[in-house]
Amino acid sequence: MSTERKKVTVPELKEMKARGEKIAELTAYDYSTALLVDRAGVDVILVGDSLAMTVMGLDTTVPVTMEEMLHHTRAVTRAVERCLVVGDLPFLSYQASREEAVRNAGRFLKEAGADAVKLEGGRNMVDTVKAIVDAGIPVQAHIGLTPQYVAQLGGFKVQGKSEEAAQKLIEDALALEAAGAMSIVLECVPGSVAAVITKELAIPTIGIGAGPECDGQVLVYHDMVGLFERFVPKFVKQYANIKGEIMRAVGEYVKEVKEGAFPEEKHTFK
């Protein structure tokens, strides 16, 4: 019996939606984490610009650079056998011009080994999405709460709560699908609105704080395993508290070093 693990592809994600199979997406930013996430059965790894906060300690995602994103994406793709890897285009790497957007998106595939890229924005990004897709690069779109635009949005707030705002999100999603997006992340959107968008689209919706009717879900790895404590969004479920176990292990190591209990003879070369 073959033990080969089939690589997840862009067409496969659309097939998963068609047959009602949920898509599991999760962030990863380094080789070791990506190895575990890939082996655990996740379908899509997002090398998110959220690393600005979870890995680099910044207050927002805005300052992270293309070079930093490529660096982390390369580390992830070295580990992955099965997951489809999406590189997150950082702020101002795609907004200035379509030509620059295509060039930077291409770098994720050419230099970092990613399978696709993600960018934020609705109808304002339709021409950019089309240009990137026309260059042969799959695009995961992202609407609702778009962290790169947090200054414009006035903070991390739920989007699409009014009838007018909900309709705008629906129209954004349809326009992005028409432009060639392979999937759309819906962040901090009322579940009822996300359900309508999911039903309207032939491409998968990936929810984060958008309810259970989406075709898949994505969470930030550090949130899910309890490694990031600055704030925990309402939509996060913590499946483990790795922070506590790490602190216990490190504390035990410090104690044994101080007491001379480590290293023992079995840890010493002769």
Side-chain angles (χ1 to χ4, degrees), residues 224-245:
M224 188 200 72
V225 299
L227 278 176
F228 187 73
E229 63 180 3
R230 194 187 303 167
F231 59 87
V232 180
K234 173 184 172 64
F235 54 74
V236 170
K237 178 177 179 179
Q238 288 191 338
Y239 287 81
N241 181 13
I242 302 300
K243 179 190 72 174
E245 180 61 13

Side-chain angles (χ1 to χ4, degrees), residues 103-115:
R103 189 175 300 110
N104 283 327
R107 292 186 70 191
F108 271 100
L109 275 65
K110 190 176 180 67
E111 298 177 31
D115 302 300

Side-chain angles (χ1 to χ4, degrees), residues 127-230:
D127 290 341
T128 300
V129 169
K130 187 176 188 307
I132 295 173
V133 172
D134 285 348
I137 304 163
V139 174
Q140 181 173 74
H142 181 164
I143 59 174
L145 172 58
T146 45
Q148 291 179 12
Y149 298 87
V150 68
Q152 196 173 56
L153 295 173
F156 295 94
K157 302 176 180 178
V158 176
Q159 303 296 306
K161 294 180 76 172
S162 70
E163 186 175 341
E164 180 183 357
Q167 185 58 38
K168 180 182 182 299
L169 285 177
I170 295 168
E171 292 170 2
D172 282 344
L174 289 168
L176 290 163
E177 178 181 46
M182 67 161 189
S183 62
I184 300 182
V185 172
L186 304 176
E187 181 168 357
C188 289
V189 172
S192 58
V193 178
V196 171
I197 293 173
T198 300
K199 187 175 180 181
E200 289 286 328
L201 299 183
I203 59 174
T205 58
I206 308 296
I208 177 167
E213 299 302 316
C214 295
D215 298 304
Q217 300 292 328
V218 61
L219 282 178
V220 171
Y221 170 82
H222 287 64
D223 290 339
M224 188 200 72
V225 299
L227 278 176
F228 187 73
E229 63 180 3
R230 194 187 303 167

